[in-house]
């Protein structure tokens, strides 16, 4: 899989991926996380303009298989955490709005590997009912840290993974 920054030319495909992801969430009992219209078109366009949006491309068909945002630096959503604590307060990268088209398996693994190569400290959150994402994050070594609240006040389960520094001899 190849990952590249999203361009405005990708918008139509990205909107269809988010629509597919919302439907899959509804089918798995998680209708509340993105409802019928999240993430908003405005937010998606802002991610692209800021250089924070990425697409995952299939190697065989060169088709966009997934989209996500990755932002390094403090995220105001994570300033307050309940029922737990962050693993550390070091600089971190945050993964948001990951969605797959369903045409390839293992998308989250590709996203995590890409982000972990860019920042040794990653945070991500998901809805309590997003059992699939919770399972995949925990299987990938992410630790449940507590509960945070997104801008609309909705609670999310917060995860973090701190990668060990490279201790190989020079």
């Amino acid at each position: 899989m190849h990952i590249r920054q999203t361009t405005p030319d990708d918008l139509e495909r990205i909107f269809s991926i988010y629509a597919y992801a919302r439907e899959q969430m509804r089918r798995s009992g998680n209708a509340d996380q993105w409802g019928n219209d999240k993430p908003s078109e405005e937010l998606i366009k802002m991610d692209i303009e800021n250089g924070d949006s990425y697409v995952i491309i299939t190697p065989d068909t060169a088709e966009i298989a997934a989209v996500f945002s990755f932002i390094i630096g403090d995220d105001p959503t994570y300033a307050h955490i309940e029922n737990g604590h962050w693993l550390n307060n070091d600089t971190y990268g945050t993964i948001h709005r990951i969605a797959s088209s369903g045409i390839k398996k293992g998308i989250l693994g590709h996203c995590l590997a890409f982000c972990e190569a860019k920042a040794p400290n990653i945070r991500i959150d998901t809805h309590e009912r997003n059992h699939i994402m919770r399972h995949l994050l925990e299987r990938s070594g992410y630790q449940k840290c507590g509960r945070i609240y997104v801008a609309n006040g909705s609670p999310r389960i917060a995860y973090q993974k701190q990668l060990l520094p490279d201790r190989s001899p020079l």
Side-chain angles (χ1 to χ4, degrees):
M1 298 280 197
H2 171 70
I3 297 178
R4 66 164 171 80
Q5 284 191 308
T6 308
T7 70
D9 292 340
D10 300 325
L11 281 171
E12 185 177 329
R13 177 66 176 145
I14 289 169
F15 294 147
S16 71
I17 290 172
Y18 281 123
Y20 174 82
R22 285 190 297 270
E23 179 59 28
Q24 294 308 306
M25 282 194 248
R26 275 193 288 280
R27 289 180 182 196
S28 67
N30 181 22
D32 298 328
Q33 184 169 348
W34 284 352
N36 294 320
D37 60 354
K38 300 290 187 268
S40 71
E41 182 175 338
E42 177 183 333
L43 185 57
I44 293 166
K45 287 180 177 179
M46 187 174 70
D47 282 346
I48 294 170
E49 288 172 15
N50 291 339
D52 298 329
S53 182
Y54 297 87
V55 289
I56 300 177
I57 309 295
T58 62
D60 47 350
T61 63
E63 186 176 355
I64 296 174
V67 59
F68 65 94
S69 292
F70 183 62
I71 304 158
I72 296 177
D74 289 342
D75 185 324
T77 306
Y78 294 162
H80 177 73
I81 188 166
E82 294 179 351
N83 301 326
H85 61 278
W86 296 112
L87 301 178
N88 62 52
N89 291 314
D90 298 345
T91 301
Y92 58 91
T94 305
I95 302 169
H96 285 299
R97 297 175 279 290
I98 183 164
S100 170
S101 67
I103 62 172
K104 289 286 184 184
K105 292 192 180 285
I107 291 295
L108 181 64
H110 290 288
C111 170
L112 296 177
F114 174 85
C115 296
E116 290 169 7
K118 293 191 170 297
N121 201 18
I122 306 288
R123 293 181 183 180
I124 187 170
D125 64 84
T126 194
H127 195 279
E128 185 173 19
R129 287 191 214 130
N130 195 338
H131 300 289
I132 295 168
M133 178 64 87
R134 290 175 60 193
H135 170 74
L136 291 173
L137 288 171
E138 290 169 13
R139 191 176 78 186
S140 298
Y142 283 73
Q143 295 179 39
K144 187 164 89 170
C145 293
R147 182 175 312 274
I148 57 103
Y149 295 87
V150 294
N152 71 2
S154 177
R156 297 288 188 267
I157 297 175
Y159 290 85
Q160 185 175 7
K161 184 174 183 180
Q162 179 182 3
L163 301 164
L164 297 174
D166 183 8
R167 298 189 189 280
S168 61
L170 297 177

